Amino acid sequence: LKLQFLYFIAPHTTHHTTMPAIKIVYFALPGRAEPARLALAVGGIAFEDEKVTGEEWGAKIKPEVAPRQLPLLKVDDEVIGQSGAIMRYAGKVSSVGGKPLYPQEAVMALKVDEFCDIVGEVFGPLGKTFAIADEAEKSAARAALVAEGGELTKWFAFVDSLLAKSSSGFAVGDSLTLADICAFTWLQPLKSGWLDGLPKDCLDTYTHITKHAKMVANIPQVKAYYKDATGVHAAYKA
């Protein structure tokens, strides 16, 4: 009876030995989905990368998941929206060298979140340009963002200054985290020539961003993932 009593009051832990089926749904672009894609890839986590067209999104997927937007994460039967939540999940289940990409220690995780949010500030000013109908005006608006005193330059300079303080080369701590992945996946496409108006040298004067990008691109798992990349994704090649 005593043993039975101890059995019922003792904590029970259920261990899952297999990963769930994971699918990322997004357009065939880097954008908000790329940090999660890369995090899963470098962690060796199998996932389906479903790339959809704008027509498929509007006609088939959006009516089923609204008001959620892309990207979407499907974990078995669960459908999850919000890119921040998605990439943090990817960081929690993925690790490199035995260290999770999203730190378990609260303050370290806070620093990773802050860094990712800072890098993510580029989406606001840049996103507004997509609403400009006139192509010449759109290109001019984008060029102004990265010209001297442009709205994006303050964020580039801030990210560069944060990376300059690192003694390890990594954005936070001494190993690869989501902070590094966000900086790499969100900034490198800006110099790919994919967006009209953004010159390919828009990041060249930010030496620490450039050095950091080269370091991340040459991490074996990252290098392998983008080995055959084409189009805008070719910006991630070492």
Side-chain angles (χ1 to χ4, degrees):
L1 288 175
K2 185 175 181 180
L3 288 175
Q4 290 176 331
F5 176 73
L6 289 173
Y7 174 83
F8 283 112
I9 65 171
H12 292 80
T13 303
T14 301
H15 297 282
H16 298 280
T17 57
T18 58
M19 285 294 296
I22 299 174
K23 178 191 289 189
I24 293 176
V25 183
Y26 196 60
F27 305 112
L29 299 169
R32 293 285 191 174
E34 201 65 19
R37 287 171 176 155
L38 183 56
L40 293 172
V42 299
I45 305 298
F47 71 101
E48 180 180 349
D49 190 8
E50 182 178 349
K51 296 182 173 71
V52 300
T53 64
E55 291 76 14
E56 289 171 328
W57 161 244
K60 296 193 300 184
I61 304 173
K62 187 175 182 178
E64 296 179 1
V65 301
R68 291 187 178 96
Q69 300 290 320
L70 293 183
L72 295 173
L73 177 72
K74 296 184 178 181
V75 182
D76 286 337
D77 296 327
E78 298 284 347
V79 178
I80 306 297
Q82 300 300 320
S83 58
I86 292 170
M87 72 178 187
R88 282 190 291 274
Y89 169 81
K92 288 176 182 178
V93 300
S94 302
S95 61
V96 173
K99 293 185 177 182
L101 296 181
Y102 190 73
Q104 295 177 331
E105 199 278 318
V107 174
M108 290 294 288
L110 182 65
K111 291 180 179 180
V112 167
D113 284 339
E114 182 202 29
F115 192 91
C116 289
D117 288 347
I118 289 168
V119 178
E121 292 287 348
V122 303
F123 284 110
L126 194 57
K128 294 176 183 177
T129 66
F130 286 91
I132 302 174
D134 183 81
E135 292 301 321
E137 184 182 350
K138 182 185 295 183
S139 293
R142 288 172 177 167
L145 290 175
V146 296
E148 185 176 356
E151 195 170 355
L152 289 186
T153 61
K154 67 178 180 181
W155 294 112
F156 293 162
F158 190 23
V159 172
D160 200 65
S161 70
L162 293 175
L163 292 172
K165 297 176 182 178
S166 171
S167 59
S168 66
F170 293 103
V172 175
D174 60 0
S175 63
L176 185 72
T177 67
L178 274 181
D180 302 294
I181 288 176
C182 284
F184 181 67
T185 58
W186 284 343
L187 295 181
Q188 289 310 292
L190 302 182
K191 53 186 286 186
S192 68
W194 173 67
L195 289 175
D196 292 338
L198 288 185
K200 291 184 178 182
D201 62 355
C202 65
L203 292 174
D204 287 0
T205 58
Y206 303 97
T207 56
H208 299 287
I209 290 177
T210 300
K211 182 179 178 181
H212 176 264
K214 288 180 180 179
M215 179 192 72
V216 175
N218 279 287
I219 290 172
Q221 297 94 324
V222 177
K223 194 171 184 178
Y225 183 61
Y226 291 115
K227 178 172 65 72
D228 299 318
T230 58
V232 64
H233 286 87
Y236 299 128
K237 286 186 175 182

